[in-house]
Amino acid sequence: MTSRKRPGSFKAIVRAINQYTQGWIHYHGIGQMKHFIQETAGWFNRRLRQLCWSRWKRVKTRYQMLRKYGLPHEIAIQYANSRKGYWRLSKPYQMSLALPTKRLIAWGLKDINPQAMSSFIRNIQLLNCRIREPYVRWWERSTSQLMASLLLD
């Protein structure tokens, strides 16, 4: 989905990523995956920075875009002329200054951290409603163990 060779506009790629992550979060929303979601969100941000960097093919374009997004002249020249690979250049602090998460969100990427937390809370509330129903006794034990593990974490 985030291949460097993938054709299409940046907005189309972001839209596909949003659909995929939203479906994945709703499917796996019952588990508490805070650390995993944070790592995945960071990976997506870095991957999109790499995608932007690989689409700016020429040194002149890279320099102009880095300057446009707020990097000083010396750092923009240094990064634009670098021969390091796309993935390696997508990590440094300067790239996250030029393309911060806020800018990626403004371009259409949805932040998956609040989505995951709201899905988790909604699923826990559904589980609590099911416990109160008298005909669902078999659910009680597994849900109480789940709630105990959540409270201890």
Side-chain angles (χ1 to χ4, degrees):
M1 212 181 300
T2 59
S3 173
R4 288 183 309 164
K5 301 176 201 173
R6 181 178 173 151
S9 67
F10 189 77
K11 289 184 179 183
I13 293 170
V14 167
R15 190 179 318 117
I17 289 171
N18 288 339
Q19 289 175 348
Y20 184 80
T21 55
Q22 188 174 10
W24 187 84
I25 285 172
H26 287 304
Y27 183 76
H28 295 286
I30 195 159
Q32 188 170 4
M33 307 177 293
K34 183 178 180 181
H35 183 67
F36 177 74
I37 292 292
Q38 287 173 346
E39 286 180 354
T40 305
W43 183 85
F44 270 129
N45 294 341
R46 185 174 176 190
R47 189 72 177 179
L48 290 174
R49 285 185 195 109
Q50 175 194 7
L51 187 65
C52 288
W53 189 255
S54 68
R55 289 183 176 210
W56 303 336
K57 294 288 186 189
R58 298 170 53 214
V59 173
K60 181 179 177 181
T61 307
R62 289 178 177 171
Y63 172 76
Q64 288 174 347
M65 297 305 281
L66 289 174
R67 290 290 292 159
K68 177 182 174 181
Y69 293 131
L71 285 185
H73 170 74
E74 296 83 21
I75 295 173
I77 285 285
Q78 179 184 0
Y79 275 88
N81 285 314
S82 178
R83 295 182 182 261
K84 294 178 183 172
Y86 300 123
W87 184 248
R88 189 167 175 186
L89 280 175
S90 65
K91 183 172 180 148
Y93 178 69
Q94 288 79 7
M95 277 301 290
S96 61
L97 283 178
L99 297 172
T101 305
K102 289 181 181 179
R103 181 163 288 135
L104 295 175
I105 289 172
W107 287 348
L109 181 68
K110 290 184 181 176
D111 191 12
I112 61 175
N113 290 320
Q115 284 181 351
M117 285 306 295
S118 66
S119 176
F120 176 71
I121 291 169
R122 186 175 50 251
N123 286 332
I124 290 300
Q125 289 171 347
L126 286 174
L127 286 175
N128 286 337
C129 291
R130 289 181 183 159
I131 290 174
R132 292 186 193 119
E133 297 175 3
Y135 59 87
V136 189
R137 295 290 181 199
W138 58 271
W139 195 269
E140 238 175 87
R141 183 172 179 209
S142 61
T143 308
S144 62
Q145 289 173 351
L146 174 68
M147 292 303 287
S149 67
L150 292 175
L151 292 174
L152 294 176
D153 286 342

